[in-house]
Each structure stands twice: as structure tokens, then as C-alpha cells.
Amino acid sequence: MNAVESKVDLSVKIGGLTLRNPIMPASGTFAEGLEKVLDFDRLGACVTKTITRELRTGNPLPRVVERPGSLINAIGIPSKGVAYFLEKTMPHYAGYSTPLVVSISAPTAEGFASLAAELTIPGITAIEANISCPNIEEDGKAFAMRAESTEKVTRELRKATNLPLWVKLTPNTGEMPDVARAAEASGADAVVVANTILSMAIDLKTFRPCLGNVMGGLSGPAVKPIILRQVFQCAKAVDIPVIGCGGISNCDDAVEYLIAGASAVQVGTATFLQPKTMTTIIDDLERFCAHRDIGRVSDLIGGVVIEEADEPDLAWLDPIS
Amino acid sequence: MNAVESKVDLSVKIGGLTLRNPIMPASGTFAEGLEKVLDFDRLGACVTKTITRELRTGNPLPRVVERPGSLINAIGIPSKGVAYFLEKTMPHYAGYSTPLVVSISAPTAEGFASLAAELTIPGITAIEANISCPNIEEDGKAFAMRAESTEKVTRELRKATNLPLWVKLTPNTGEMPDVARAAEASGADAVVVANTILSMAIDLKTFRPCLGNVMGGLSGPAVKPIILRQVFQCAKAVDIPVIGCGGISNCDDAVEYLIAGASAVQVGTATFLQPKTMTTIIDDLERFCAHRDIGRVSDLIGGVVIEEADEPDLAWLDPIS
Amino acid sequence: MNHMHPHHFGSQTEASPHHPVVAELTDVLKNEPVNEEYYHLVVRCSPEAAAAQAGQFFQLLCPHSGEAQPFLRRPMSVYGMNPQTRELEFLYKVTGAGTRGLATLRPGDQLDVFGPLGTGFTFDPSWRSIVAVGRGAGLATLAPLARSAKERGIHVTAILSARRPDLLVSVDLFRSFGADVVTVTDSRQTSGPANVERILRSLIAENRCDAFFTCGSSRLMRVQQRLAHEFDLPGQVAMEQQMACGIGLCYCCVRDFNVDGEIVSRRVCWDGPVFDLKEALP
Amino acid sequence: MNHMHPHHFGSQTEASPHHPVVAELTDVLKNEPVNEEYYHLVVRCSPEAAAAQAGQFFQLLCPHSGEAQPFLRRPMSVYGMNPQTRELEFLYKVTGAGTRGLATLRPGDQLDVFGPLGTGFTFDPSWRSIVAVGRGAGLATLAPLARSAKERGIHVTAILSARRPDLLVSVDLFRSFGADVVTVTDSRQTSGPANVERILRSLIAENRCDAFFTCGSSRLMRVQQRLAHEFDLPGQVAMEQQMACGIGLCYCCVRDFNVDGEIVSRRVCWDGPVFDLKEALP
Ligand SMILES: Cc1cc2nc3c(=O)[nH]c(=O)nc-3n(C[C@H](O)[C@H](O)[C@H](O)COP(=O)(O)OP(=O)(O)OC[C@H]3O[C@@H](n4cnc5c(N)ncnc54)[C@H](O)[C@@H]3O)c2cc1C
Ligand SMILES: Cc1cc2nc3c(=O)[nH]c(=O)nc-3n(C[C@H](O)[C@H](O)[C@H](O)COP(=O)(O)OP(=O)(O)OC[C@H]3O[C@@H](n4cnc5c(N)ncnc54)[C@H](O)[C@@H]3O)c2cc1C
Ligand SMILES: Cc1cc2nc3c(=O)[nH]c(=O)nc-3n(C[C@H](O)[C@H](O)[C@H](O)COP(=O)(O)O)c2cc1C
Ligand SMILES: Cc1cc2nc3c(=O)[nH]c(=O)nc-3n(C[C@H](O)[C@H](O)[C@H](O)COP(=O)(O)O)c2cc1C
Ligand code: FES
Ligand code: FES
């Protein structure tokens, strides 16, 4: 490290955990293959693809379709199961000093809890609970659609593990601040805002859905304004850190999230287009701060300036033209 | 009309109302100025900017900001009031044979009803109730966020007018099919899906929100996959027609909505970029149908082909990767 | 409160049936820098587009310049128009994504333009001599006044202001139509409101100011408003505001005006961009 | 069920430390149509990119061609590579938005490429003579085999199939590396599986088929699979699937394989695109 680099302190705190910088991958868009293009030891954290206890096939093909400025995916959660993960995938990350965050999913609160318990072992730094998946006890509605189901699953998770617990929310609900508050109240150390936005595309040649799963989740630059708003709302609603995730492609996008209230950000789809996006953002973020004499990147968090006059309560609910 | 044109029947039915074609403007993106570029007598309907009973100022500036493939607006509902509308705006449309649909808004169910009653007069063909606005009886939450408030306002509206009643929903809820069902159950003749998606943008030079209103509504091509999914879900949920609205820029977009289940579509932001978008779509739609030997555009409605195997119930709720 | 009176002081409503508005692909004939900041763009267009009036504007669909495609069209005043040759000219300052995209155009490329839009400047047949005061990009907006005034036998004195002499544009154009040109600049410390007021007062004294036309500076606009009241002179100002539709649909381009003591909100694209000088608020 | 065994039959895992993957801007040297459907693209790249192996591919960031920007990169097999001159070649069929965008590239333009990706073809030192069977865009994928085999002193017989003779590509390239080329086409009714099987059987009989290499036709792949089982011959097939990341992150490019009677799902971009012929499912 030379003098220029060390001028800016890039580290951020997520609960008790200090990350060397606020840039990390989004679950499902990161794996060992990326080692070929960037040094995992530069990242704030490594976040795995969501794993489940059992083997899962994933969704029928086609699994992705592109739209202007966006990707719709319906990969599903193909998973080789937790045993395979422990034996084959985890050792891969042992060589890195970067915290390993394991994303998990299960169809029941109890399933989440027992998986988290099993993963509470050395080598795993934090658990990210992907609760955007269907809750079979609630008629298949995703846990994160409602505050009650979020509270229940988070409480079970909290009992099951003493690792830092991040809860990843779905953007497909109208009650996100309530859901975030429920996660906080039941012990989450951070919320990740957010997963993909439920979407659809139809092939006009065949009149069939473009995705084997009919519907899929939207990601990429197109979703940024929506998820940024959700990060802003959630950061106002809770005291725990919010990790922003949606459409981040460059340093400006990351900074926009930080000043909206995110304490760190995850990069997903952008990695598919430019595989080095994360390290480019880390470099540029340092330059952005140095250029503006911002000594610590954490000073950016929640820095959006809102005039009192701009902030009539109803206006937030009345943006509609 | 020559023989080639008359081969395709472009008309669609919205409840008891037959439109000459399924293409109409989205509220707030249409006004008299557009007469200078296209013939209103070619449109399926004319839909006015939302009006309120009282004078309203609208939101502070800036009122729009652009993002890749999208626009965020926080115009608010500047309104000269209903008296001005009746006296000055309405006569303007008297010269056209195209149905005039008046979009209305009010802060209470009672306010909606009395406005609808006042507008139940010759020259107005239908009422579009923009219930994406804050309900002051429900702590400012928009009516269309929940089934109960939608039911209440729709019931009052139904009692107040015998005009065809279209209810325009908000996409910012996780319960859209329920909300659509509530509108249907309480007497709506159609649902419009949907208004804009609550969003935010921050100016990195000033760290201030780009919009005077802090948040605004996202429209344009970026939202199409999301709203298309909502149209598909709502069309499955209700028997009344669904009018699709979100990101339609060309004939292919319109067809995608029709086969997803929309009976007609509204074009908004695209008109700002290409003022003749609506008439271009009408021409292209005729060609699209002629080319594929589709005699009636109404045959496209809901024509998406879904294989049984593609349709596992839970998969719809589990597109998340 | 926003009443948005249907009060049009311009000629928009009467003019509309006679002046069609088109959205069309034009052919770029020329697109060259004129100084460090400005480009001069000439396109070949339809007769309808070339029939634009001084003060009107077009909405340009700017190409992207490596960055993302600018989403909205960008408003640009007509800098020159020639119905005979079907040429339309713009003078633009390279500012952000849209104008950087414009700057990439080469002769032979196409540019999608939408217009002419808004109300232009209007002339009273009784006027003999008018004064045009412009600064920055406002010089582009005022430039075609020179030609229109000349066609009506009205003499123009133009006071053109810029940061530095090399950034003064349209000087030759004004002169070519017989206008007297006074240039004032920050670098020579001649552009302050006091000096401009001094120049204007002497023009009024010499009976060379039957009306004010201005664009591009609120400070200079206020000077003229004061003088207009003091000497009971008419005036017109071309205003700017961020736009989306450009044709009165979206209400994003509103500004407040003082109409006989009442504040009313108007759409710059539809009720303007040319407004009554006395009603304008900075 | 999807087990996605970590079974790599190719050389991916061992090769990875030695074969870096780069995302870089290359300079377009040539981009010309070779027939009605195909373009030949040559770029100047880094030594790392030019070190690609036959069977590997790149993810190309295609420019837009007037339509919207293609969002994802598009996978293209290496058609030729020369570490000395740092040239990289692609042969692509103009299909949709991405390849239409590629076709707009001119010498002097830049193209963002990401690769080399995936596992290439592998050779057994004991082989003397191999057979390459390709069709359509598969001919592009097989073409660099000719050079690699020659470098290893292995003789190649290429059976190249297309709809019409004028759509046959790579014929001269194969010949220039000393391969025997048999062309079969639909228009001459020589491309049917029965005829290809006849040709293959005589090559096997003549001891000129120590291994099969194939790409671009499931029908012809099945013929070779049958013969590979019958004569206990090894084989490799390069497969296609829609891709997003190209480097094993997203699991959108999976295909099923039959591994000793068990169906396993593998990522074409990471576990392939070259797979064991006997395990491939059409
Ligand atoms: C009626 C009218 C006539 C104009 N005529 C001219 C002219 O002849 N020559 C000239 O150089 N400029 C003129 N302008 C200003 C010109 O429109 C802006 O400079 C241009 O839109 C900037 O776009 P950009 O993408 O380059 O910059 P950006 O800063 O990236 O623009 C971002 C956004 O801000 C808006 N914006 C930025 N500056 C202005 C501005 N001054 N006025 C309105 N909106 C703005 C843009 O429309 C866009 O939505 C005129 C503006 C109006 C309203
Ligand atoms: C490993 C690999 C190597 C390839 N090598 C070559 C080659 O050397 N020459 C060549 O002409 N083509 C090759 N292809 C096929 C090529 O990638 C597609 O033709 C191209 O992506 C089509 O993109 P488009 O935008 O032009 O067409 P579109 O039809 O508009 O593509 C739309 C979408 O479908 C996908 N898609 C369409 N066709 C294919 C296909 N055959 N395989 C995978 N995805 C597809 C695209 O990636 C895109 O996501 C290869 C494919 C793969 C997977
Ligand atoms: C191909 C793909 C696979 C994904 N898989 C997962 C997953 O397994 N678990 C999860 O929580 N989110 C998953 N996501 C969602 C991302 O983590 C992220 O929330 C989303 O893509 C938004 O970020 P982006 O716009 O930067 O991509 C996936 C996204 C994509 C595009
Ligand atoms: C500038 C602007 C103003 C709008 N005003 C209204 C309005 O007054 N009432 C309303 O119901 N919707 C309003 N909308 C929402 C549109 O009617 C439409 O639902 C939305 O823009 C999505 O369609 P689009 O993507 O085609 O623009 C407005 C949208 C824009 C962009
Ligand atoms: S820009 Fe839309 S009303 Fe003026
Ligand atoms: S394309 Fe992403 S895993 Fe193969």
C-alpha cells in the first residue's frame, strides 16, 4: 500500500463485522470462476450462490432473457446440497482473507434455522438469508412479502446461529419498511435490499413466455431507481445497516446507494457484462473520495441532503403525477 | 377506408364500451398540444391528465429526471379544478368522435364519488379513477396499495356514476391480484395496470435528490417487464378487462401486453420521445395482424401459450434465482 | 397556488393551425465548433420545420456519445432557418450527455428533430427600433431576431454579453442584418448590470428602444424589467426550463409568472418560451 | 435432478492458473462477409487472449446496430488465433441484434472481448488421425482444430456440412493445414446421416479415425455417438447454450449429460463447451 492509497479509509462496518471496503458480489452472480479475472482478496466480502439443504434441479430452460438495460432470470436455486458445499465449495475460499458470506434458503422457518445452525462453523463469517423464496407454510408466499413471516423466520434464524445474520428482502412487496423493521426487531444484523423484481417477457414469434419458468426476476441498470428508493426507505426505517443491491454498474451507482443510506453494496448483473466491475468500483471509489477530500467512505453513508421543505410526509406517497 | 385496411378488425371491448382500436394515451402524458402531430380521431380513446376538485399546485421543481431507458417524474397533480376542466378543457374534445376518458383523483372515497358524479355528463364516456394517490383516511397510504381501501373507494364510485368505471392501480404493492379482484368485486368495469413505480435518484454533485419531491414514479421501457408481469397476473385474477400501461414504445410492446392478457393499452412516456408513437402503433398493429392472418386484434388478447409443465404454481412465486 | 391561466400573450393558439409541428429525420449538413464551448449545427429539413419563427425551439433526439443514450429529447432554440433552402440551424453549448452526443454528428448523419415548438417573438408594426440583450446560450435564441426584425424594417441594437470575448457568438450574424452590436464581457468588466443599464438608458434616451428582447441572464432581465416599468416600454423574454415532452403534455417545465400581482404557473414549452418581460420572474 | 458433478473431462481446472482470462478492448483489423450469412472478424488483442485454444470461446460485447444495445455479451468460438501476431479470429453468422451489431464493426473500431473461456479440445499423444464433423456455425468452432492437430502431427479428415455449397466455410483453412476435406450439402443431398455414417465407417475401416470431433449438428453427433460405442472410439463435442456470464457464475447455460446412466447437469461455459462425445445428450 502506498501513501496515496492509504489516504482514504474504505472500510465499513456491518454490525460487528468490519469489511475492508463496501463492495461485494450479489448472491448467484459470483463463483470460483471469477478468480480468473479478479483477486478475491480485494473484495469487501465473498457472497455465495444461495444453497439449500437438499439437491435441487433449478428451473427449466431458457433461464434468462435480456431486455433493454436489464436481465430477467429464472435460474431457480439449483443446489448440490449442503454436504457438497461444505466439502467442495467452502475449501475454495479458505485461501482468502475475505469474509465468506453464505446465502441460504429453505421452504420453512425451521429449515432456515437448521441450515444456519449447520453452517455456524469456522470459515463462514456471516449468513445471508434469502427469504425471497416461497414459504410453504404460508401458501407459497415469499417470507419477505410480509412483516409477520419475516419476523418468524428471522427469529428462528437468530436462535440457531450466533454468526452475523443478514436478511435479504424482496422488492415485490408494498411493505418493505415494515418488513425491514420486522427483521431488525427479531435480530437481523443487516438487511440486504433487495432481490430481483418479478417480471415477465413473451416471445412474439411463438407467443410463449421467454423463460421456462414463465416469470423471472429483473436485475441490471433498469431497476436501480426502484431499489435505490427502497434502500432510502429502509435506511430511514431501521437502525441496522442496509446493504444495497440492484443495478450497480459503476462507482457513481455505488456512491448513490451509499448516500441514500446503504452501508455497503452488492454487485450482480454488471459482473456478467464487465467481469472486473467490482475491483473497478473499489479503485474508483477511492478516487472519488480522495478527489472530494472525503477521508472515510463511511462518511458517505446516508449523506443525502434533504431540505425540510422537500420533505412533506404525504409527498413521498404522492409522487404520482 | 380501403380494402386492405378493413381486413383487420382492430376494435376491442372494454366492458360495454367498444373502442375502435386498443391504443390510447396514458393519463398525464396527453393534452391538446398533441393535436399538432396526430389526429385524435384515430385513437381508441382520449384519456385526460388526472383532475381534482380543487386547484392544486403540483410538486416543486425539478419534476423529472432521466435514467437509462426510463424517466422518473414527480409532477404531482397540478390541477385547475373541475370547473376549469368543464369550461375550458372538455369543449376541446367535443369535436372528436373518440371517447373521452376523464382521470380523476381525490384524497377520500367520498371525494372520488362526488367528483365522479359531477362528471357523469354527456361528452364524458368513462371515468378512470387514479387511486394510486394517498388516502388521507388511511394515513396517506395510496388506496390501491390494499384490497380493502380499493374496495371501499370503488364501491363509492360505482354508486356515484353509471359511466364505465376504470380503476387505475399502483404497481407498488405486493397484492396486486387481490387489489384487482377487489376492484372487480365492487363494480369496476376495467382495471388499468399500472401507474408508475416509486423510485429515486440522487445528484452526485450536490448529494441532493434529483427531484423536488425527493421520490417520483418510474416509467418508460425499463418498467415494461415488471408491469407486463402484473398485467398477466391481474388478467388471470379477474374477468373484467385489464388495460396495460407501462413502457410501451412500439407495436411489439403493445402485442406483448395484449397476449399477456391486456384488452387495450395506454402509451405514456414514449410519446415524449416520438410524439406520433400511438398512431405508428395503430398502423403497425394492423400490419402485424394482417401479416399473421389474424382477423381481429381482439383474438390476441390473453393469447400467451403456457405449457402445463411450465406452470407449477410455486414456480411463479419462485423465479428468484 | 397554480392556476395556469389560459392566458397566451404569444401567438401560439392562433398560429397553430397554420404552423404544423413535425417530428422528422433531418440530414446533417454541418456540425462544427465555433469556439471552445459552442457548436454550430446545420441540417436539411422539411419546409414545415424550416418555417420556424425566431424564439421557437426544437426538441432534438440526441445520439449517444459512448455513454448511455440520453433518454429525453433536448430543447434547442432555432438559431437560423431558411424555408427556401430548407436549412435549420442550431448553436449549442456542449454541456452534458445530450449535447456531447450532438457534438458527435457528422455531415451525412441524420438527426431526429421535433418542432417548431412554442411561441416565437412577436413584433408590433409600430416599432422602429428594438434592443436585444443576450448572454450565453441566450445569444443563440436572439440571433434569428436580427433577420426577422430586418424583414419588418425594424432596426436592432444588440447588447451581447459573455464571459470572454472569444465566447461571444452571433456578433457577425447580427451585424450582417444591419444591427448595431455592443459587446460586453466579464473579462473586460463591461458586463455588469450597471454598465448595461447605462447603455440601455442612453438607447432609450435616443429613442432607439421601442421594445426589449432578452434571453440568457436573469440579472440583465431584471435591469430591463425595471426600465420597462420606468419608461412604460414593452418587452419579451425567452426563458428556459428543463423539458420532457416539449408540447404541453407533462407540466414539468413550469415557471411562475407575476400577472397583475397574482403568481401564476405556466409551461415554458407551451405558453412560452417567449413571455411578457414584465410578467417574468427570475 | 441436478447434481452438477465437479467432473471435468476437459483440461479446465489444471489449465486455469496457466491460462489467464482477460476482458479487454481489441482493435478490429478486418470484418468482412464471407458469404450470404457469415462474417469473418479479425482483431488485434493481448498475448493472453491470443493464447486461446481450439474449442474455447470469447464473450463479445456487441455494439448496437441502430436497435437497442444488446444487453448480454454473445459467445463466439475462436476461429483462429496467432500469439505471434496477436490476432484473434471469429467467424459468425448474422442472426439477431448482437451479431447484427458485430457486422457494423469497421477496421479501426474497437471490440471488447472477454476470454478465452471454457475448456478446449484435448488431444491424446497416441492419436495419428482424427475426424472432424461439423455443420453450420460448428465449422467455425472446429476450424482451429486443423492447426492444433497439425502442430501435434495428427492428421485430420474433415467432413463439412452445410445447406448449400456456398455456405461451406473453413474448407480452404482445413486444406491449408493438410486436412482431407469431404464436403456434404443438403442441396446435393449428400448431408444426410446415412451418407455421413457411410463415410465415417470407411474412415474407421481405413484406420483414419482415432477420435471424433464434432460441433453444430445433433443428428451427426448421434451418428458419431453410435459409432463411438460400436468401435469403442473416443470423441469430443463442442456444444452451445444461451449464456449470460460465460464463466460459471449464473447457471443459465446448463445442459444434461448422461454419465454412466445418471443424468447430470453441467454448465456449457465452464464444464465445456467441449464435452465427452459419449456423455452428450442432444
Ligand atoms: C427553450 C429552450 C431553448 C434552448 N436553446 C438553447 C440553445 O439554443 N443553445 C444552447 O446551447 N442551449 C439551449 N438550451 C439549453 C439546452 O437545452 C441544455 O443545455 C441541454 O438540454 C443540456 O443537455 P445535456 O444533456 O447536454 O446536459 P445535461 O446537463 O446532462 O442535461 C441533463 C438534464 O438537464 C436538462 N437541462 C440542462 N441544462 C438545461 C437548461 N439550461 N435548460 C433546460 N434544461 C436543461 C436537460 O434537458 C436534461 O434533462 C435551451 C433550453 C430551452 C428550454
Ligand atoms: C460456446 C459458443 C460458441 C459459439 N460460437 C459461434 C461461432 O463461432 N459462430 C457463430 O456464428 N455462432 C456461434 N455461437 C452462437 C452465437 O453465440 C449466437 O448465434 C449469438 O449469440 C446470437 O446472438 P444474436 O444477438 O445475434 O441473436 P439473437 O437471436 O437476438 O440472440 C438472442 C439471445 O439468444 C441467444 N442465442 C441465440 N442463438 C444462440 C445460440 N445458437 N447459442 C447460444 N445462444 C444463442 C443469445 O445469446 C441471446 O441471449 C456460439 C455459441 C456458443 C454458446
Ligand atoms: C443470474 C442470477 C442469479 C441470481 N441468484 C440469486 C440467488 O441464488 N440468491 C439470491 O439471493 N439472489 C440471487 N440473484 C439476485 C441478485 O443477488 C441480486 O439481488 C439482483 O440480481 C439485483 O442486483 P443486480 O442488479 O446488481 O444484478 C440472482 C441474480 C441473477 C441475475
Ligand atoms: C410526466 C408524467 C405525468 C403523469 N401523470 C399522471 C396522472 O396525472 N395520472 C395518472 O394516473 N398517471 C400519470 N402518469 C402515469 C402514466 O399515466 C403511466 O401510468 C406511466 O407513465 C407508465 O406508462 P409509460 O411507461 O408508458 O409512461 C404520468 C406519467 C408521466 C411520465
Ligand atoms: S415540457 Fe412537457 S409541458 Fe413543457
Ligand atoms: S453462462 Fe453463466 S454459468 Fe454458464
Side-chain angles (χ1 to χ4, degrees), chain A residues 73 198 208 229 307 321, chain B residues 73 198 208 229 307 315 321:
Chain A
N73 90 79
L198 195 55
R208 283 169 206 277
R229 176 267 299 181
E307 311 277 294
S321 14
Chain B
N73 90 80
L198 195 56
R208 282 169 206 276
R229 175 266 299 180
E307 311 276 295
S321 14

Side-chain angles (χ1 to χ4, degrees), chain A residues 67-70 199 218 221-223 225-226, chain B residues 67-71 197 218-227 247, chain C residues 71:
Chain A
R67 281 295 180 251
S70 62
S199 290
L218 195 72
V223 309
I226 303 170
Chain B
R67 280 295 181 253
S70 61
L71 180 69
I197 306 181
L218 194 71
S219 62
V223 309
K224 200 189 73 171
I226 303 170
I227 309 293
Chain C
F71 187 70

Side-chain angles (χ1 to χ4, degrees), chain B residues 167-245:
Chain B
V167 173
K168 184 165 176 183
L169 307 185
T170 176
N172 300 306
T173 173
E175 304 161 22
M176 236 182 160
D178 292 341
V179 170
R181 270 188 289 263
E184 175 178 44
S186 35
D189 294 296
V191 287
V192 181
V193 176
N195 218 306
T196 50
I197 306 181
L198 195 56
S199 291
M200 186 171 180
I202 301 174
D203 183 335
L204 294 193
K205 285 201 211 76
T206 61
F207 280 28
R208 282 169 206 276
C210 297
L211 295 172
N213 189 54
V214 182
M215 298 195 236
L218 194 71
S219 62
V223 309
K224 200 189 73 171
I226 303 170
I227 309 293
L228 186 81
R229 175 266 299 180
Q230 295 180 334
V231 162
F232 175 76
Q233 291 180 315
C234 289
K236 291 238 169 267
V238 298
D239 290 325
I240 53 174
V242 174
I243 299 169
C245 176

Side-chain angles (χ1 to χ4, degrees), chain B residues 14-248:
Chain B
I14 306 295
L17 190 64
T18 300
L19 307 181
R20 67 165 72 88
N21 66 56
I23 310 300
M24 65 182 96
S27 174
T29 66
F30 180 76
E32 300 85 87
L34 214 56
E35 272 175 345
K36 298 196 170 212
V37 271
L38 55 84
D39 178 2
F40 290 0
D41 267 338
R42 296 207 53 213
L43 303 176
C46 290
V47 182
T48 69
K49 169 91 186 157
T50 299
I51 63 165
T52 55
R53 174 171 300 288
E54 324 71 29
L55 300 178
R56 285 169 56 96
T57 317
N59 284 327
L61 270 65
R63 290 181 171 186
V64 300
V65 57
E66 65 175 32
R67 280 295 181 253
S70 61
L71 180 69
I72 318 180
N73 90 80
I75 306 290
I77 305 190
S79 169
K80 285 170 250 186
V82 66
Y84 181 92
F85 176 80
L86 294 174
E87 195 183 318
K88 303 280 184 182
T89 311
M90 240 194 83
H92 209 96
Y93 293 92
Y96 295 105
S97 63
T98 304
L100 179 64
V101 181
V102 180
S103 170
I104 62 169
S105 186
T108 62
E110 154 56 26
F112 262 107
S114 78
L115 189 51
E118 192 166 346
L119 293 168
T120 304
I121 53 173
I124 296 181
T125 308
I127 300 287
E128 179 175 292
N130 174 6
I131 61 167
S132 316
C133 49
N135 174 356
I136 59 168
E137 293 150 335
E138 287 261 1
D139 219 13
K141 231 175 159 124
F143 292 91
M145 289 295 286
R146 299 193 16 237
E148 302 79 58
S149 39
T150 300
E151 197 170 319
K152 181 168 178 220
V153 67
T154 311
R155 205 167 34 227
E156 295 296 318
L157 276 162
R158 185 68 294 168
K159 278 190 264 171
T161 182
N162 55 12
L163 287 179
L165 175 63
W166 302 355
V167 173
K168 184 165 176 183
L169 307 185
T170 176
N172 300 306
T173 173
E175 304 161 22
M176 236 182 160
D178 292 341
V179 170
R181 270 188 289 263
E184 175 178 44
S186 35
D189 294 296
V191 287
V192 181
V193 176
N195 218 306
T196 50
I197 306 181
L198 195 56
S199 291
M200 186 171 180
I202 301 174
D203 183 335
L204 294 193
K205 285 201 211 76
T206 61
F207 280 28
R208 282 169 206 276
C210 297
L211 295 172
N213 189 54
V214 182
M215 298 195 236
L218 194 71
S219 62
V223 309
K224 200 189 73 171
I226 303 170
I227 309 293
L228 186 81
R229 175 266 299 180
Q230 295 180 334
V231 162
F232 175 76
Q233 291 180 315
C234 289
K236 291 238 169 267
V238 298
D239 290 325
I240 53 174
V242 174
I243 299 169
C245 176
I248 296 171

